[in-house]
Amino acid sequence: MMWSKLRKKIKEFITPELKNRIDIHCTSYRNAHDEADEVWITLDGKKIFGGGFYHRLAAPFPSKSDKEVANSYEFYKESFNRQIKSNKIEELLKLGIHDTYYITSNLWNYIHTPYDEAFASNNPIYKAFSLIDQRLGKRRFDKIQLDENEHPLVILFYNVRKPYFQKS
């Protein structure tokens, strides 16, 4: 799917109150030797989340073994699942080191996932976007209890959505 179509589809899922505040961008650096891509999410025009090939390549990992895990096939395969089974991989995703394909593939999969499954996911992309999804109602939102170790994007999207439910 072309990026513009994916972006349009994702924006259709975002609650009307946040549609003009949250945006998703993608660029390709055509003059780079490998035409690397970058994807990022903005809130009120400020970058809050993103990733790209070089982000992962140059990222400072806590340890050499963490970097080896993050560059493994297991990490690559597992990070695309709705439910991430490995605690280590879940912890590494919380570092915010993502590549373009991870973000775009998970967004594509999100729009084709039933809402209940996305909401119950521990994959940060699914979980974060389920919190700003227009299908999320007040009763369900009031029952949400985030773990203190949640991915920063999940916490941010929760806090951005919360005031809209307090008004009603």
Side-chain angles (χ1 to χ4, degrees):
M1 174 179 271
M2 292 184 58
W3 169 250
S4 57
K5 286 185 180 184
L6 175 59
R7 180 177 175 264
K8 182 180 176 189
K9 284 282 199 190
I10 286 293
K11 295 277 286 181
E12 288 172 2
F13 281 86
I14 298 174
T15 186
E17 299 89 0
L18 296 174
K19 268 188 185 164
N20 293 328
R21 295 186 61 199
I22 295 172
D23 207 354
I24 306 161
H25 309 272
C26 182
T27 191
S28 180
Y29 300 107
R30 301 214 189 284
N31 291 331
H33 72 283
D34 56 2
E35 296 186 13
D37 293 332
E38 183 179 3
V39 175
W40 66 97
I41 299 169
T42 58
L43 172 64
D44 299 328
K46 294 182 181 168
K47 184 177 177 179
I48 57 170
F49 179 81
F53 174 75
Y54 290 116
H55 293 252
R56 281 186 44 83
L57 192 63
F61 285 93
S63 71
K64 187 176 180 178
S65 66
D66 286 340
K67 187 169 188 161
E68 288 171 2
V69 171
N71 289 320
S72 70
Y73 177 71
E74 180 186 341
F75 178 86
Y76 184 76
K77 186 174 76 172
E78 181 78 10
S79 65
F80 293 100
N81 293 335
R82 267 182 240 128
Q83 290 300 327
I84 297 167
K85 297 176 183 96
S86 166
N87 290 336
K88 185 62 168 177
I89 291 173
E90 195 173 354
E91 287 300 314
L92 288 172
L93 286 172
K94 288 178 188 170
L95 294 175
I97 303 166
H98 309 290
D99 66 18
T100 306
Y101 191 65
Y102 165 78
I103 296 169
T104 57
S105 293
N106 278 303
L107 287 173
W108 167 254
N109 292 336
Y110 177 81
I111 63 176
H112 294 92
T113 300
Y115 181 76
D116 289 336
E117 290 178 32
F119 182 75
S121 175
N122 66 347
N123 182 313
I125 298 288
Y126 288 85
K127 187 154 189 152
F129 276 85
S130 75
L131 294 172
I132 60 168
D133 195 304
Q134 61 186 334
R135 298 172 288 177
L136 175 62
K138 182 176 177 18
R139 280 185 289 193
R140 186 179 286 189
F141 188 86
D142 287 342
K143 293 178 186 176
I144 296 173
Q145 292 186 341
L146 294 180
D147 181 20
E148 62 187 36
N149 294 323
E150 285 287 351
H151 191 281
L153 185 64
V154 173
I155 294 169
L156 180 63
F157 278 3
Y158 174 82
N159 289 327
V160 166
R161 184 81 189 266
K162 189 175 186 177
Y164 295 99
F165 283 118
Q166 291 175 337
K167 291 178 184 177
S168 49

